[in-house]
């Protein structure tokens, strides 16, 4: 399952941030988005994931193949680790949460309420949901936030396994995850041009 983005123009708060973005993400590959803070990485990921509309251009992807992980961990603090993952397994029709627990080293925390986890543990729990989605295209916005070095390596191992299974990953990250074959797209060249105030009708000035 591949992802195609063609001549995409996107806005944040009604202001254009990126224009003319084009790329293809084939199965089995990862694409890392780079660029300075505020350039529009999150907005682009949310648009590609179908969470907000583009101003122009197109995204060609099967919506049912996409799993999105943003800044929020997406967990219920009053539920235990197991209860949180069991909930998401039911949502995605997945049988068994053991692979997710093991992949993110959560077995020893199985019965602990999510609200009592550290920031890094919460992040690992949030990312463990990806294993349960059964979806081939992972769209990830700064997934390693709050993770220590060992947890980053753990996450990178999960992503590498996903790619070997013909999955793909589109992610924004300032950290080198060690995904040797990952491509990098610097969004700086797609930064939208500033508005020309001379284009406004003088009647509104």
């Amino acid at each position: 399952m591949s992802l195609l983005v063609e001549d995409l123009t996107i806005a944040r708060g009604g202001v254009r941030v990126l224009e003319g973005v084009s790329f293809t993400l084939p199965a089995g590959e990862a694409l890392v988005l780079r660029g300075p803070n505020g350039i529009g990485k999150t907005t682009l990921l949310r648009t590609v994931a179908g969470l907000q509309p583009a101003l122009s251009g197109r995204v060609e992807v099967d919506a049912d193949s996409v799993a999105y992980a943003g800044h929020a961990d997406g967990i219920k603090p009053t539920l235990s680790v197991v209860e949180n993952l069991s909930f998401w397994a039911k949502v995605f029709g997945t049988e068994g949460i053991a692979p997710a627990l093991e992949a993110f080293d959560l077995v020893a925390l199985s019965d602990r309420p999510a609200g009592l986890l550290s920031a890094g543990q919460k992040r690992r729990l949030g990312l463990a949901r990806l294993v349960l989605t059964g979806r081939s295209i992972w769209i990830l916005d700064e997934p390693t936030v709050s993770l220590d070095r060992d947890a980053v390596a753990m996450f990178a191992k999960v992503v590498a396994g996903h790619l070997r299974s013909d999955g793909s990953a589109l992610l924004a990250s300032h950290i080198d995850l060690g995904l040797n074959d990952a491509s990098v797209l610097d969004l700086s060249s797609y930064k939208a041009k500033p508005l020309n105030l001379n284009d406004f009708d003088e009647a509104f000035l």
Side-chain angles (χ1 to χ4, degrees):
M1 187 70 65
S2 63
L3 164 67
L4 171 67
V5 172
E6 187 173 71
D7 199 24
L8 202 66
T9 296
I10 59 174
R12 180 178 58 238
V15 178
R16 293 185 179 211
V17 289
L18 296 171
E19 54 190 7
V21 180
S22 298
F23 61 83
T24 301
L25 180 62
E29 296 188 13
L31 177 63
V32 181
L33 303 179
R34 294 280 166 79
N37 290 338
I39 197 167
K41 295 186 294 292
T42 293
T43 305
L44 177 58
L45 291 174
R46 287 178 54 82
T47 303
V48 173
L51 299 176
Q52 64 184 71
L55 292 181
S56 63
R58 71 188 181 105
V59 176
E60 188 175 298
V61 66
D62 179 1
D64 290 334
S65 70
V66 172
Y68 173 79
H71 295 161
D73 294 320
I75 59 178
K76 297 291 185 182
T78 58
L79 298 182
S80 69
V81 168
V82 164
E83 289 170 335
N84 268 282
L85 291 181
S86 296
F87 168 80
W88 286 108
K90 289 178 181 177
V91 169
F92 291 106
T94 307
E95 293 187 7
I97 63 171
L101 287 169
E102 294 167 2
F104 286 92
D105 194 22
L106 294 168
V107 175
L109 302 170
S110 294
D111 297 325
R112 185 173 300 182
L116 299 181
L117 299 176
S118 70
Q121 291 167 340
K122 288 177 181 176
R123 191 60 172 170
R124 278 157 48 200
L125 175 56
L127 292 171
R129 293 178 300 152
L130 292 168
V131 180
L132 303 174
T133 63
R135 298 191 171 187
S136 59
I137 301 173
W138 291 358
I139 298 180
L140 313 170
D141 191 4
E142 296 293 348
T144 58
V145 170
S146 300
L147 297 183
D148 60 22
R149 183 171 59 184
D150 290 343
V152 169
M154 192 184 306
F155 169 72
K157 182 178 179 181
V158 171
V159 175
H162 180 63
L163 300 181
R164 286 194 299 272
S165 300
D166 284 334
S168 59
L170 174 65
L171 61 154
S173 177
H174 294 290
I175 294 178
D176 183 0
L177 296 175
L179 301 173
N180 297 329
D181 296 328
S183 300
V184 175
L185 179 63
D186 189 336
L187 295 177
S188 300
S189 59
Y190 297 104
K191 185 176 180 180
K193 298 177 179 63
L195 287 175
N196 185 353
L197 295 181
N198 292 328
D199 290 340
F200 284 92
D201 191 313
E202 292 182 1
F204 292 94
L205 298 180

